[in-house]
């Protein structure tokens, strides 16, 4: 769990979106935009959730993973 390591962050069913760091599932983020998004372990997302997660940032997208990325994402990053 990341929340204990992020003082001041918000998470849960109704997170405070005014906080500098907000932990959301891809489904919670649907319809929202953020300056920066860090997708954690994106290989574990369903395809629709991966699309949502990757299309939320307006400026920066980071990927944090310990396992190989989904094939389509790995190919896109090599291009």
């Amino acid at each position: 769990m990341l929340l204990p390591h992020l003082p001041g962050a918000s998470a849960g069913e109704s997170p405070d979106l005014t906080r500098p760091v907000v932990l959301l599932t891809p489904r919670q983020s649907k319809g929202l935009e953020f300056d920066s998004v860090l997708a954690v372990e994106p290989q574990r997302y369903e395809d629709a959730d991966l699309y949502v997660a990757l299309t939320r940032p307006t400026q920066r997208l980071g990927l944090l993973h310990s396992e190989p990325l989904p094939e389509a994402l790995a190919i896109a990053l090599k291009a």
Side-chain angles (χ1 to χ4, degrees):
M1 185 78 182
L2 292 172
L3 193 57
H5 304 286
L6 299 168
S10 181
E13 289 186 34
S14 299
D16 180 355
L17 297 177
T18 65
R19 298 274 183 94
V21 176
V22 182
L23 302 177
L24 300 170
T25 66
R27 289 182 186 181
Q28 285 178 299
S29 71
K30 191 171 184 176
L32 302 174
E33 290 185 334
F34 301 94
D35 291 340
S36 301
V37 169
L38 177 61
V40 178
E41 301 296 358
Q43 72 280 3
R44 297 180 185 180
Y45 301 176
E46 295 178 18
D47 288 343
D49 289 342
L50 180 60
Y51 174 80
V52 169
L54 299 180
T55 58
R56 299 306 91 204
T58 60
Q59 297 178 28
R60 291 171 296 275
L61 171 65
L63 302 172
L64 180 63
H65 60 97
S66 60
E67 301 170 16
L69 292 170
E71 184 178 353
L73 185 54
I75 290 169
L77 292 173
K78 288 180 183 177

